[in-house]
Structures are given as structure tokens and as C-alpha cells.
Amino acid sequence: MIRAAVELFTERGFEQTTAGEIAERAGVTERTFFRHFADKREVLFDGSRTMERTAYDAILAAADDLSPLDAALAGMTAGGGMLEDIRDHAIRRSKIVAANPGLQERELLKLAAMAEVATEALRKRGVGEPAASLAAHSAVTVFHVAFTRWLSAQPAPSFADCVAQAADALRALL
Amino acid sequence: MIRAAVELFTERGFEQTTAGEIAERAGVTERTFFRHFADKREVLFDGSRTMERTAYDAILAAADDLSPLDAALAGMTAGGGMLEDIRDHAIRRSKIVAANPGLQERELLKLAAMAEVATEALRKRGVGEPAASLAAHSAVTVFHVAFTRWLSAQPAPSFADCVAQAADALRALL
DNA sequence: CACGGTCATGTCAGTCGCTGTCATTACACT
DNA sequence: AGTGTAATGACAGCGACTGACATGACCGTG
């Protein structure tokens, strides 16, 4: 279904594709489509939960002497690292998302969820508020900048490098 | 219409209120409702454009010797300052938004738009990339934290104080 | 005053996203 | 064979949203 959806979205665009058409190409019913995905957008955000868990685990696994921000950044690096193998798919996907405001909205929600998860992990490391929230959100901002660059840069850089670079830029602000 | 919508959302919740019902209470047609608001959620985000413009202007008007982050924060203070007069309404509104994921999604989109606008203003001040993006997003993160606190703190603090406090917490992270 | 323009609104029909419900099928365990 | 469970199909229905056309208020011009 995911493959069918990406194909159709690429061909005609997100809004011009009905849920029924995706289901049809995937060989199932529209009803079945909505049993697997809460809504039409969600088909493009399938791995997000896994990524959140990966980031969460990485933050908890980070060295004890790391600052909250560095620990959160380690989580972002780990989470984003999951995408190294599927850069092609990520690029196709990002083009679709970029062309539709509703999908960007959903992407923001996923980033916010990532920040929530990172906040939770930092708190578990003993970081208080509002430091945990701020560090987590800052890390996600870095993630976002790094992700954008990772998608567009030629030749393909490593995700970790992109994160490190964006993090340096953030530190330079102060 | 906005008043009618807030009333109904408070009484029965966002999802349990149809666009037709809002229109009816406001004395217009459902079709008219959708001529004024792009979708049902948008009725709760009416002033966002104005706030963005205010922030944008404030960033451009900020003292030349301010750092990018401080200039962006000045914009957040100015934008949030618009709400000082309508804190009651802001509180009611935030309860509605907090109760519905779809509305939180839209709120994130508005915050992202704010970050975009702030980025643009910083760029016009001569700030390069990715410094402008990062400073703008950091400022919006501070704005968000400050806004949350401004809504919940008792007695009502000034918005500027909340921003200053959140900004200090951010700086302490590094 | 009559006329033409535009602007907001009402009316109606229609598409599509999404959901509840029930029946069916396939498989797993006993 | 019998029983439970999970996935799917089939169908009906609601509500969000849109396009098209008609109506009426207002406004400036002749």
C-alpha cells in the first residue's frame, strides 16, 4: 500500500489521488486501507514510531557525562541513521510532502512527537524542566536542518555529519 | 462566527461540533462559513497572520547591534504582546486546542509559519544560513515555552517576562 | 433615476475522507 | 471437529469541503 501510494502521489499528486485508488492499486479495499492507516496522510509516515523509539533508546544509552543537548543530539543521529539505507525513498517522499501543506502539517506533528519523546528520555536521565524541553526541541530543530541538508546535498553525506554541522551552527549562535 | 465556534467547541468539543452548527449559531450558512475560513480548524487561528506581521516588523525594527537570536526574540515578545489584552480568550482557546490532536497539528503549522517569517526577517537583517533558520526556530521554541507558561501561571505574568525567562533557560543549556 | 459592477451571501448538488456494522474467510490452537 | 482470533470485504452513512449559479445590497456613473 505504501508503495502504491507513493507511486500515485508522484504521478498525480496527493490531493488528486483518492484513498480508493491507492487501495485498488494495492489490491485491497478502501476500508482495509483505513484499517492500516489512521488517515490518508499517515501512509507517508509509517516508520515514524520506530524512529522515535530508536532516538529514545539512544538518548538513554548515551554516555553519562554528555550534556542534555548532546545526549538529545545523539538520539537524533541514531534516529536519522535509520534512513541511511533508504535515501532514495526519503527523497521521493520529501518531494511529495513539500508539495502539500497538509502533509507538511503532519510532518511537523511527527517532529513534535519526536521532541516529546526526546524530552521524556532526557527527563529519565535526570534533566529538569524547562531544560529538557528546550534541549529536546533544539535537538529536533537541528535534526530538521540536518535532514533537509542530507536530502539535498550532492554527493550524499552521512547523516551524522549533517547533524554535527547543524549543531555547530546552533552553538555558534551564542 | 469565531465567538459561536468557541462557544460550541467549549460546550461539546471540537469534533462533536459540525461546521453547519457553527454557521447556524452565527446566523449564516455553512457555505458562508467556508468562505471565511479555509477549513473548520482555521476559525481558531484567525489572528495568526497579524501576529506574524507584528513579529516580522519588530525583528526588522530591533537595534542593529542585537545578535540574531536576540532580534528574533524581540519579534516573539512583540508578537506575543498582542495577546496581553485577550488572555481570557487565549486560555479558553488553548483548552480547546489541547483537547484535539488535529488542532495541535494546526498550531504547529502556525508556529512553523512564524519561524519562516522570522527567518525571512533575519535574512533581511543580513543574517546568513543556516544561522537565520536556527535562530528563528530557537526563538519560536522559546516563544512556545513562554506562551505555555504565560497561560498557566498565576497570577498572570507579563509575556515579555516569560520570554526572557525561557530565553535564559535556553542559554543555560550551553 | 436607471444602469452596470462587485461583493457577500444563499442554495443545491456532488465528491471524498472516514467510520460503524455485519458477514466472510483463513489460520491457530485444542 | 470445534472454537477463538485476526484480517478482509461489503455496504450504508455522516460530515468536511467545493463548484456553480442565483439573489440581493451597495456604489459610482451617466
Side-chain angles (χ1 to χ4, degrees):
Chain A
M1 293 184 158
I2 297 175
R3 188 162 44 242
V6 171
E7 287 173 15
L8 285 167
F9 292 163
T10 304
E11 293 170 15
R12 334 178 187 167
F14 179 78
E15 307 208 356
Q16 282 64 46
T17 306
T18 73
E21 289 166 346
I22 301 171
E24 188 184 4
R25 179 168 299 198
V28 294
T29 311
E30 182 184 346
R31 189 66 184 88
T32 300
F33 176 85
F34 284 113
R35 284 206 184 88
H36 286 266
F37 305 100
D39 59 56
K40 193 178 141 192
R41 303 175 193 174
E42 207 64 19
V43 72
L44 288 175
F45 297 88
D46 195 51
S48 68
R49 295 288 310 174
T50 312
M51 199 162 104
E52 289 170 23
R53 239 193 311 274
T54 303
Y56 181 85
D57 293 343
I59 293 174
L60 289 189
D64 285 347
D65 59 345
L66 252 51
S67 72
L69 182 59
D70 284 327
L73 287 173
M76 298 305 110
T77 304
M82 292 178 44
L83 304 172
E84 298 272 16
D85 299 335
I86 52 169
R87 186 160 177 268
D88 290 352
H89 175 261
I91 290 175
R92 275 194 299 275
R93 204 199 72 108
S94 86
K95 286 204 182 101
I96 299 171
V97 173
N100 184 278
L103 290 171
Q104 298 169 37
E105 204 173 353
R106 180 57 51 83
E107 186 134 279
L108 291 170
L109 188 69
K110 297 303 184 186
L111 287 173
M114 182 93 129
E116 279 294 311
V117 165
T119 301
E120 184 56 33
L122 288 178
R123 301 226 37 165
K124 206 156 185 172
R125 280 173 69 96
V127 182
E129 288 291 358
S133 284
L134 286 167
H137 276 91
S138 298
V140 169
T141 299
V142 167
F143 174 86
H144 196 188
V145 171
F147 181 65
T148 304
R149 178 169 159 66
W150 177 74
L151 284 180
S152 62
Q154 211 42 268
S158 91
F159 195 88
D161 288 347
C162 292
V163 169
Q165 181 175 336
D168 286 346
L170 174 64
R171 283 186 240 272
L173 280 181
L174 322 166
Chain B
M1 291 183 167
I2 297 175
R3 190 162 43 242
V6 171
E7 286 174 16
L8 285 167
F9 292 162
T10 305
E11 292 169 16
R12 337 179 185 164
F14 178 78
E15 306 208 356
Q16 282 63 46
T17 305
T18 74
E21 290 166 346
I22 301 171
E24 188 183 6
R25 180 168 301 198
V28 294
T29 310
E30 182 183 348
R31 190 65 183 88
T32 299
F33 176 84
F34 283 114
R35 283 204 186 90
H36 285 266
F37 305 101
D39 59 56
K40 193 178 140 193
R41 302 175 193 173
E42 207 63 20
V43 71
L44 288 175
F45 297 88
D46 194 52
S48 67
R49 294 290 307 175
T50 312
M51 198 161 105
E52 288 168 24
R53 237 191 311 273
T54 302
Y56 181 84
D57 293 342
I59 293 175
L60 288 189
D64 286 347
D65 59 344
L66 253 52
S67 73
L69 182 59
D70 284 328
L73 287 173
M76 299 304 110
T77 305
M82 291 179 44
L83 304 172
E84 298 272 15
D85 298 336
I86 51 169
R87 186 161 176 266
D88 290 353
H89 175 262
I91 290 174
R92 275 195 298 276
R93 206 199 71 108
S94 87
K95 286 204 181 103
I96 299 171
V97 172
N100 184 279
L103 290 172
Q104 297 168 37
E105 206 172 351
R106 179 57 51 84
E107 185 133 280
L108 291 170
L109 188 69
K110 297 303 182 183
L111 287 173
M114 182 92 129
E116 278 295 310
V117 164
T119 301
E120 184 56 32
L122 289 177
R123 301 226 39 167
K124 205 156 184 174
R125 281 174 70 97
V127 181
E129 288 291 358
S133 284
L134 287 167
H137 276 91
S138 298
V140 169
T141 299
V142 167
F143 174 86
H144 198 185
V145 171
F147 181 65
T148 304
R149 177 168 160 66
W150 177 72
L151 284 180
S152 63
Q154 212 42 267
S158 90
F159 195 88
D161 288 347
C162 291
V163 169
Q165 182 175 337
D168 286 345
L170 174 63
R171 282 185 241 270
L173 281 181
L174 320 169

